[in-house]
Amino acid sequence: MSNIHLHRSTTATPEQYVAGLTDFGPGRSKLFGNSADAYLEVHHRGDSFADVTEGSGGIWERLHYDWSDPERVVITTTDSNVWGGASGHTYTFTRKPDGTTDIDVVVIRDGKNLMGWLLGFVLGTIGRGVLEKAFENSVKAIEARNSKAGRPDPDTSDLAA
């Protein structure tokens, strides 16, 4: 079993990051590269939880998302072709006095078969950089999405005058 801790600071608020993390619409792969649209299926969604299948590259998992705590999102693997046991992700958000947010992520990969055990070992050792890069890319994509949301659309801003 691999237990991987990731950390990034961001200009996004916890609410903005959670909004990106829980956006299960088309184009999710632009925010989270390991979530290909072809694998994405939302089974059930409530105000602060979702049951979603996602994945890419032949690896899929069904996940229970819980964002009922505004400072934390817990994602538990409920089924997968490679992950089992304690697998999942926990995102913890800390607001900083300067307006930025620290995001700490704990990724647990508990293989349920030979492929899962091997992938878990690789991710916990030499493959850690792959997870770090994917996390960094998601933070940047959510920041970019939020900066675009705050700017008027140049094609329609003159219409408001």
Side-chain angles (χ1 to χ4, degrees):
M1 179 165 59
S2 294
N3 189 331
I4 302 152
H5 179 260
L6 306 170
H7 174 85
R8 288 284 179 270
S9 291
T10 179
T11 57
T13 65
E15 294 82 7
Q16 290 170 329
Y17 198 87
V18 171
L21 189 61
T22 60
D23 179 350
F24 304 111
R28 181 170 174 77
S29 62
K30 292 177 183 159
L31 299 178
F32 300 95
N34 291 333
S35 183
D37 288 346
Y39 286 75
L40 188 62
E41 182 179 353
V42 178
H43 304 284
H44 187 70
R45 183 182 174 131
D47 291 336
S48 62
F49 70 92
D51 177 18
V52 180
T53 297
E54 55 189 314
S56 66
I59 298 172
W60 62 268
E61 59 187 320
R62 189 165 178 169
L63 301 161
H64 176 79
Y65 281 73
D66 177 352
W67 61 95
S68 58
D69 179 342
E71 296 175 1
R72 184 179 176 122
V73 175
V74 178
I75 306 168
T76 306
T77 302
T78 58
D79 192 16
S80 174
N81 62 336
V82 295
W83 309 121
S87 293
H89 305 72
T90 301
Y91 289 76
T92 304
F93 306 98
T94 305
R95 292 177 196 270
K96 306 296 279 184
D98 65 359
T100 61
T101 302
D102 280 348
I103 306 173
D104 289 286
V105 183
V106 175
V107 179
I108 298 174
R109 288 303 186 205
D110 188 5
K112 75 175 196 179
N113 53 33
L114 182 59
M115 182 182 201
W117 296 323
L118 291 173
L119 284 172
F121 175 76
V122 168
L123 287 174
T125 57
I126 59 175
R128 178 185 165 87
V130 173
L131 290 179
E132 288 174 336
K133 186 69 174 163
F135 179 45
E136 183 178 325
N137 289 342
S138 74
V139 170
K140 288 179 181 177
I142 289 172
E143 287 174 341
R145 170 175 135 153
N146 289 311
S147 69
K148 287 179 189 173
R151 287 190 227 140
D153 184 343
D155 295 333
T156 61
S157 59
D158 291 338
L159 298 176

